[in-house]
């Protein structure tokens, strides 16, 4: 039986000495096809981790790159600015900006995730209502609406996004808008009717005739 997922550990990947650093072939090992991802390691402090480049040379992929320090520490120089980067640091560098890095501690590793600008958009639908959660939790419902509604540009009929917006709209006192959103959500996912039945966020619109309800059982 072929596995539906892949697992690897950085410590088990090859260390290929190239361009003054140790390349760790993450993408090739896992078979990643949606984005570029590799890692670079250095055995000693002061060794090169990321070669100087700006993603504009003839051999470059012209990708924006996210650098994540996953072990040890690094010192980056980005557009002439020194950036200290202990473990856990994330640095996003756009195309055309000069960058390089050296290890600031032994056994340092930087994971590099790259792709053409805009290639990964739109974001997954969940990101919009996850981002709205802090405003919702504070009772700032109009702010939650503003944040989550950004997702409608890409996912105008997404059931869960519309359901979350229905809750925010109802809590904000926007009954008509809430009823429109809950109707779209129920049309896309019948489970929404069950969710809505016990959701206190929707109490303010529950008695409206437009509120979705389960069909009564037919005659036996």
């Amino acid at each position: 039986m072929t596995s539906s997922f892949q697992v690897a550990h950085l410590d088990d990947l090859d260390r290929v000495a190239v361009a003054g650093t140790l390349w760790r072939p993450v993408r090739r090992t896992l078979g990643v096809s949606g984005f570029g991802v590799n890692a670079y390691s250095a055995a000693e402090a002061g060794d090169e981790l990321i070669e100087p480049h700006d993603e504009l040379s003839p051999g470059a992929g012209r990708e924006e790159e996210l650098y994540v320090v996953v072990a040890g520490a690094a010192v980056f120089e980005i557009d002439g600015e020194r950036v200290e980067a202990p473990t856990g640091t994330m640095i996003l560098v756009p195309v055309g900006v000069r960058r390089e890095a050296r290890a600031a501690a032994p056994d340092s590793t930087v994971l590099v995730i790259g792709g053409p600008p805009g290639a990964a958009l739109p974001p997954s639908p969940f990101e919009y209502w996850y981002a709205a959660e802090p405003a919702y939790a504070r009772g700032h419902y109009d702010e939650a609406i503003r944040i989550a509604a950004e997702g409608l540009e890409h996912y105008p009929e997404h059931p869960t996004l519309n359901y979350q917006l229905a809750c925010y709209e109802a809590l904000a006192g926007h009954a008509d808008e809430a009823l429109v959103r809950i109707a779209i959500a129920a049309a896309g996912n019948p489970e929404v009717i069950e969710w809505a039945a016990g959701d206190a966020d929707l109490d303010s619109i529950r008695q409206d005739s437009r509120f979705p309800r389960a069909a009564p059982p037919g005659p036996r």
Side-chain angles (χ1 to χ4, degrees):
M1 179 177 178
T2 302
S3 175
S4 61
F5 61 92
Q6 301 294 323
V7 177
H9 194 285
L10 275 171
D11 289 347
D12 296 331
L13 300 187
D14 292 338
R15 295 175 177 242
V16 181
V18 61
T21 185
L22 298 174
W23 174 60
R24 320 293 296 280
V26 177
R27 194 204 65 76
R28 293 176 66 88
T29 300
L30 295 175
V32 178
S33 63
F35 50 89
V37 55
N38 287 293
Y40 296 85
S41 295
E44 302 293 338
D47 288 353
E48 186 171 83
L49 272 170
I50 305 298
E51 66 175 326
H53 69 289
D54 60 8
E55 285 296 303
L56 290 177
S57 70
R62 285 170 167 73
E63 297 180 338
E64 63 180 6
E65 293 181 320
L66 175 66
Y67 298 92
V68 184
V69 182
V70 297
V75 176
F76 281 79
E77 184 174 322
I78 304 171
D79 202 18
E81 181 177 348
R82 179 185 172 94
V83 179
E84 305 282 348
T87 299
T89 301
M90 297 180 289
I91 304 172
L92 178 64
V93 185
V95 177
V97 174
R98 189 81 170 171
R99 83 292 306 264
E100 61 183 286
R102 290 190 173 276
D107 298 319
S108 294
T109 296
V110 175
L111 186 70
V112 185
I113 304 163
L121 296 176
S124 296
F126 78 86
E127 185 174 311
Y128 296 101
W129 69 81
Y130 278 25
E133 185 65 19
Y136 164 78
R138 294 193 303 269
H140 297 173
Y141 304 124
D142 284 324
E143 181 182 356
I145 293 166
R146 178 187 61 77
I147 295 169
E150 293 173 1
L152 295 176
E153 177 183 355
H154 302 295
Y155 305 102
E157 298 183 357
H158 191 276
T160 309
L161 177 59
N162 275 279
Y163 182 84
Q164 297 292 338
L165 278 163
C167 292
Y168 304 155
E169 297 279 12
L171 290 165
H174 309 155
D176 288 340
E177 292 87 342
L179 289 160
V180 168
R181 293 296 159 207
I182 197 69
I184 294 172
N189 181 3
E191 293 182 2
V192 161
I193 294 175
E194 182 179 344
W195 302 348
D199 194 334
D201 287 351
L202 300 169
D203 284 350
S204 66
I205 60 172
R206 192 173 306 282
Q207 301 309 313
D208 193 288
S209 61
R210 295 170 288 175
F211 191 84
R213 292 175 174 81
R220 294 188 177 185

